[in-house]
Amino acid sequence: METIIYLAGNGFRLYIISRLFQIFLSGSPDDQAILPGIINVDGSRRGGGGMKDSYLHLPLSIVRACAFFLYYLVNSLGFLVFSWNPGIIILTNLAGALLVACTYEGKWKQRILAVVMAMALSTICEDLVVYILVRIGTEHIVSVGIAIANLLFFMIVLLLGQAADLRHGRDIPPAEWLAAAVIPAISMLVSAAVMDKCVEERSVVLGEISLILMNLLVFFLLSKIQNSYQQQFDLQLLFQENKAYESQIQILRESEKKISALRHDTRNHLIALREMAVQGECEEIQRYIREIYDEIRPKQEWISTGNYLIDGILNLKLTDAEDAGAMIQTEICIPENLQIHSRDIIVILGNLLDNAVRALYEVDKPKSLKVVMEADRGLLHIQVINTYRQEKEQSEDHPRRI
């Protein structure tokens, strides 16, 4: 039975190592692994003439799965069949982990760091668990120790993954942090306090394997739910981005149509202006030019920086603010090629201006909205000042800065 729990625990440990590598290294399953080989010009194997050096392209997922299987096979046979000493087991673990790390993208320094961290965390968890179980007098120390050591390793990797996601800008709800710590911790407590009390070794092994499978299933489902929410969030951002581009394209089309109409009527306008000039009607000339300008000026284009995404969002939201009855002021000084991710600017500007427009609808006149954007030394300063209603039914300008 100890063989079964070892094989199950070893497989679980390799899964944990794969999750750890995903944190530090990258590599999509759709990528191609290029393996050198000799094939014929016509694509056949060795034999016949026309030999040519070529490469064998395999899906990276297959290469990675083969590397993991080889790692698992050699490690399991070395421990269970050949009874290698701990030094050789450590070396085979390092070699196997390094082989797997080669299937991920990244510099060799990153790969070696990931391998060392995986081996160090795994070893520390095993030694710590064995030390504690010996001190408390655990009876089924092998079965219980393998399960608890892997669960502790799993919990640490889960928390490291969430810390990496947090660093990359993803908002981690407190429930996710709690689940990553509490579920494996409760499983370890059940393993030490309940499973060790079983008389039969078979019951202990089945219980430990059940705890491992339960943790895998729970976090698999949580990962699917998280990916579903992330896809919905990305779709919402894409919808807002498309709406902003659509607004900007509509403005450009309107401008092009009016300019085309003006170009068509230019001769008539010039004749009219010449007759007014001959009659000395300066005021009439100014009025006529003002009317032409008002006809060709896009009524909804508040901003034109050359950055179509920012222009589209601002023009769309400022038009909403104008519909709410606000007087609009803008001070925009940003380069055309602003080095900021489109997703971030959609979230920031969209939320700020949506809140401002919502507040404008809640107050009576006078209403005002001022937007200030300035890029300076690698920093983007955004300030939105809008009229809002306080609890005392007073309208004041409320600034929000980022």
Side-chain angles (χ1 to χ4, degrees):
M1 296 306 295
E2 289 182 356
T3 301
I4 296 176
I5 189 64
Y6 175 81
L7 292 173
N10 196 26
F12 186 34
R13 186 174 67 89
L14 293 187
Y15 168 74
I16 300 169
I17 290 175
S18 72
R19 291 192 62 132
L20 184 64
F21 283 173
Q22 289 173 9
I23 298 173
F24 292 96
L25 305 171
S26 62
S28 171
D30 296 330
D31 293 340
Q32 297 287 319
I34 303 177
L35 304 179
I38 303 294
I39 61 174
N40 291 335
V41 174
D42 60 359
S44 61
R45 290 293 178 182
R46 285 182 179 272
M51 303 292 288
K52 179 183 177 182
D53 289 336
S54 185
Y55 294 93
L56 181 62
H57 294 259
L58 290 176
L60 190 56
S61 57
I62 296 178
V63 176
R64 187 174 300 158
C66 292
F68 269 113
F69 178 75
L70 183 62
Y71 180 15
Y72 177 79
L73 184 64
V74 172
N75 190 258
S76 299
L77 290 176
F79 183 82
L80 297 175
V81 178
F82 301 109
S83 301
W84 288 339
N85 62 57
I88 297 179
I89 293 293
I90 292 174
L91 289 177
T92 56
N93 271 288
L94 287 172
L98 190 58
L99 175 66
V100 171
C102 290
T103 65
Y104 290 84
E105 295 179 2
K107 298 179 180 178
W108 275 104
K109 181 179 179 181
Q110 294 174 311
R111 292 172 177 167
I112 294 174
L113 177 62
V115 169
V116 171
M117 177 169 288
M119 295 300 101
L121 287 175
S122 178
T123 304
I124 291 172
C125 290
E126 290 177 4
D127 292 345
L128 179 62
V129 168
V130 170
Y131 174 78
I132 294 175
L133 293 181
V134 170
R135 292 292 299 269
I136 64 177
T138 304
E139 181 178 354
H140 305 283
I141 190 168
V142 175
S143 301
V144 174
I146 290 175
I148 294 180
N150 283 315
L151 287 170
L152 179 60
F153 188 19
F154 187 47
M155 180 179 71
I156 293 173
V157 171
L158 286 174
L159 294 174
L160 285 175
Q162 291 185 347
D165 289 344
L166 186 66
R167 184 178 179 183
H168 292 150
R170 190 174 79 86
D171 186 22
I172 308 293
E176 286 192 31
W177 290 102
L178 194 63
V182 170
I183 295 176
I186 292 178
S187 300
M188 288 186 281
L189 183 61
V190 170
S191 178
V194 178
M195 296 302 169
D196 190 53
K197 303 302 180 183
C198 297
V199 177
E200 296 184 1
E201 183 71 20
R202 179 182 301 176
S203 300
V204 178
V205 171
L206 291 177
E208 300 295 357
I209 293 176
S210 298
L211 286 174
I212 291 174
L213 291 177
M214 182 198 71
N215 277 266
L216 287 173
L217 180 60
V218 167
F219 284 100
F220 173 78
L221 293 176
L222 287 176
S223 176
K224 289 297 182 182
I225 294 173
Q226 173 189 325
N227 290 337
S228 177
Y229 280 129
Q230 186 64 39
Q231 288 176 0
Q232 291 180 5
F233 181 70
D234 291 340
L235 287 175
Q236 192 175 26
L237 289 181
L238 183 61
F239 174 76
Q240 293 186 21
E241 184 175 355
N242 289 338
K243 194 173 180 181
Y245 279 123
E246 183 181 354
S247 172
Q248 194 64 18
I249 290 173
Q250 185 64 31
I251 291 173
L252 293 175
R253 285 178 177 173
E254 181 184 348
S255 300
E256 184 179 356
K257 181 188 290 187
K258 291 182 177 180
I259 291 175
S260 177
L262 177 64
R263 188 183 299 114
H264 182 268
D265 296 334
T266 298
R267 184 172 178 274
N268 295 330
H269 290 310
L270 289 176
I271 292 174
L273 289 172
R274 186 189 63 181
E275 293 300 324
M276 294 179 189
V278 170
Q279 299 295 329
E281 300 176 352
C282 296
E283 293 183 0
E284 190 67 18
I285 292 175
Q286 293 177 1
R287 182 190 63 79
Y288 192 81
I289 293 176
R290 193 181 307 113
E291 289 178 356
I292 296 175
Y293 176 75
D294 290 339
E295 288 181 2
I296 65 173
R297 181 176 61 90
K299 296 179 180 179
Q300 296 179 332
E301 187 173 21
W302 302 92
I303 305 298
S304 180
T305 66
N307 188 311
Y308 290 109
L309 180 59
I310 294 179
D311 290 347
I313 295 174
L314 287 176
N315 287 322
L316 182 65
K317 302 299 181 182
L318 293 179
T319 300
D320 293 341
E322 184 186 37
D323 293 339
M327 183 177 65
I328 310 299
Q329 289 181 286
T330 59
E331 295 180 11
I332 311 296
C333 184
I334 59 173
E336 181 176 341
N337 297 320
L338 189 63
Q339 298 299 320
I340 184 170
H341 198 281
S342 59
R343 173 175 176 171
D344 296 331
I345 200 65
I346 288 174
V347 172
I348 294 171
L349 277 180
N351 287 337
L352 281 174
L353 294 173
D354 283 342
N355 292 336
V357 172
R358 191 180 303 113
L360 290 172
Y361 275 106
E362 296 176 354
V363 298
D364 299 327
K365 294 182 179 180
K367 305 177 184 180
S368 65
L369 174 65
K370 182 177 181 180
V371 180
V372 179
M373 291 183 65
E374 181 183 6
D376 183 26
R377 290 173 290 186
L379 296 176
L380 178 62
H381 170 76
I382 304 175
Q383 183 179 23
V384 177
I385 304 174
N386 63 274
T387 308
Y388 76 106
R389 182 179 298 278
Q390 290 184 326
E391 294 182 359
K392 296 181 179 180
E393 303 295 329
Q394 295 178 352
S395 297
E396 295 187 0
D397 285 338
H398 176 51
R400 286 187 294 274
R401 297 181 178 88
I402 294 183

